[in-house]
Amino acid sequence: MNRDLNRRRLLSLFGGGAVWGSVASLPMGTTAWAEDLESLYVPDAVDRAVERGIDALLRYQNEDGSIADRGRATAMTSLAIMAFASVGVVAGEDSPRGRALDRAIEYVLRPRNQSDGYFGRQDGSRMYGHGITTLMLTEVLGMGSSVQQNERIHDALDAAIKLILKSQAVNKPTNLQGGWRYTPDARDSDLSVSVWQVMALRSAKNDGLDVPVESIDKAVAYLENSYTSPLDDRGVPRESMGGFAYTPGTRHPSFTMTSAGLLAMQTCGRYDSPLVTGASKWLLEHPPRNNDRFFFYGMYYYAQGMHQVGGESADTATRLTAELLLRLQTRAGHWVSYEGEERNIGIVYATTLAILSLGVRYHYLPIYQR
């Protein structure tokens, strides 16, 4: 984590306490002040891992500002931007990280990367990439390096949100309505694609952008159809513990989809839903393993969703997220998957999702906040 930011956190933690009193008695700017603060700064294993991960991402920034190693440059760069922002890096600040973040945002905002509002065509990332990039833009809106950059973020975001809403309105079978699939005009839906659009819409609404309440309600209805335990007339699951499936009608939950559905429900504001309670119970009974399908993808949702549940769920997820991800970090500081489908997606993909999973504790990204 950025050392200056960690110091500010220490000051807030010790405000009014005995340690703060002893430090505050020292004149500002003196060597003694700096040495006393330095003695308080003891980075833990997660902070060190995140620092090394961010440094690894810097090494993958290309001349054009993109941060990608295996294609899908707009989507991967957007994930990297969120990873930087999640640990408090500010675009344009006079540091290697600040300058790298500014260049990355500029890359995403290139006109050729967005076609009629759509970010998923140019780099082949489809609606996955569109949702990721739109979410990123909502998270950095107002945090650009200049007024002009913020205006361009807003304009790109406005068009991107309109495309998400238009795509949701495509005529589909009843149980698939409210969700999204691989392309803007798709007539079916799946949870994996839908969760990114849901997060983008909710974050955009938090930014004050025009997102109809009906679109969130439709997304919730789709999520309810994706829950593996049937709901009664009151919307209560027949079973107290359940998960989410890739598509409605499937009764076999998975770690990744249950984590995604949990976070999506919370993102829609349904924190007290019995589906949230049931999914968190299921995840406590079925903890993540590094050979789960789409492990890094699932950990991103798991860390956020369980953190927002709180209590035993948050404590368990915090411990397991650190144990699993720190064990998998390479000596070079990055993460990479050697399992299943994720092994072909690349180092930037795995590293950004690992940082975002571990970065829940820092609370810098608005989407992390309840």
Side-chain angles (χ1 to χ4, degrees), residues 90-93 102 105-106 109 140-154:
V90 178
E93 67 181 5
D102 182 48
I105 293 173
E106 285 297 317
L109 292 175
V140 302
L141 181 63
M143 298 166 58
S145 60
S146 66
V147 172
Q148 292 76 18
Q149 188 178 77
N150 281 320
E151 289 176 347
R152 286 185 290 127
I153 291 172
H154 181 276

Side-chain angles (χ1 to χ4, degrees), residues 237-255:
R238 296 176 186 172
E239 302 169 2
S240 62
M241 183 176 72
F244 287 87
Y246 181 67
T247 55
T250 305
R251 299 304 176 198
H252 302 289
S254 67
F255 163 71

Side-chain angles (χ1 to χ4, degrees), residues 1-26 28-29 32-42 364:
M1 182 177 179
N2 183 293
R3 180 169 293 193
D4 290 334
L5 292 168
N6 211 358
R7 286 175 176 168
R8 287 199 288 274
R9 187 169 66 184
L10 281 170
L11 296 181
S12 67
L13 287 172
F14 289 118
V19 175
W20 168 249
S22 66
V23 176
S25 64
L26 299 171
M28 284 289 289
W33 171 277
E35 289 176 349
D36 210 341
L37 269 181
E38 197 65 32
S39 69
L40 290 175
Y41 178 78
V42 183
Y364 285 114

Side-chain angles (χ1 to χ4, degrees), residues 241-243 253-256 258 277-287:
M241 183 176 72
S254 67
F255 163 71
T256 298
T258 299
T277 302
S280 62
K281 288 180 179 179
W282 191 93
L283 289 168
L284 285 173
E285 292 291 326
H286 302 83

Side-chain angles (χ1 to χ4, degrees), residues 161-162 164-166 168-169 180 198 201-202 204-206 208-220 268 270:
I161 290 295
K162 288 177 179 176
I164 291 176
L165 294 173
K166 183 179 179 181
Q168 188 188 36
W180 293 262
V198 169
L201 288 179
R202 173 59 187 271
K205 191 171 183 65
N206 290 346
L209 298 176
D210 186 18
V211 177
V213 174
E214 293 78 12
S215 66
I216 303 297
D217 292 339
K218 289 177 181 178
V220 170
C268 290
R270 295 344 192 240

Side-chain angles (χ1 to χ4, degrees), residues 190-196 198-199 219-228 242-247 253-271 273-280 282-283 297-298 300-302 304-306 308-309:
D190 76 61
L191 182 56
S192 183
V193 173
S194 296
V195 64
W196 289 108
V198 169
M199 288 194 292
V220 170
Y222 174 74
L223 293 170
E224 291 174 343
N225 284 329
S226 301
Y227 198 66
T228 57
F244 287 87
Y246 181 67
T247 55
S254 67
F255 163 71
T256 298
M257 289 300 96
T258 299
S259 299
L262 169 66
L263 181 59
M265 287 293 293
Q266 294 167 322
T267 302
C268 290
R270 295 344 192 240
Y271 299 101
S273 167
L275 277 66
V276 168
T277 302
S280 62
W282 191 93
L283 289 168
Y297 194 55
Y300 168 74
Y301 301 128
Y302 172 76
Q304 292 184 67
M306 295 291 269
Q308 295 199 37
V309 172

Side-chain angles (χ1 to χ4, degrees), residues 98-109:
R99 290 188 289 272
L101 179 56
D102 182 48
R103 292 177 59 216
I105 293 173
E106 285 297 317
Y107 172 81
V108 172
L109 292 175

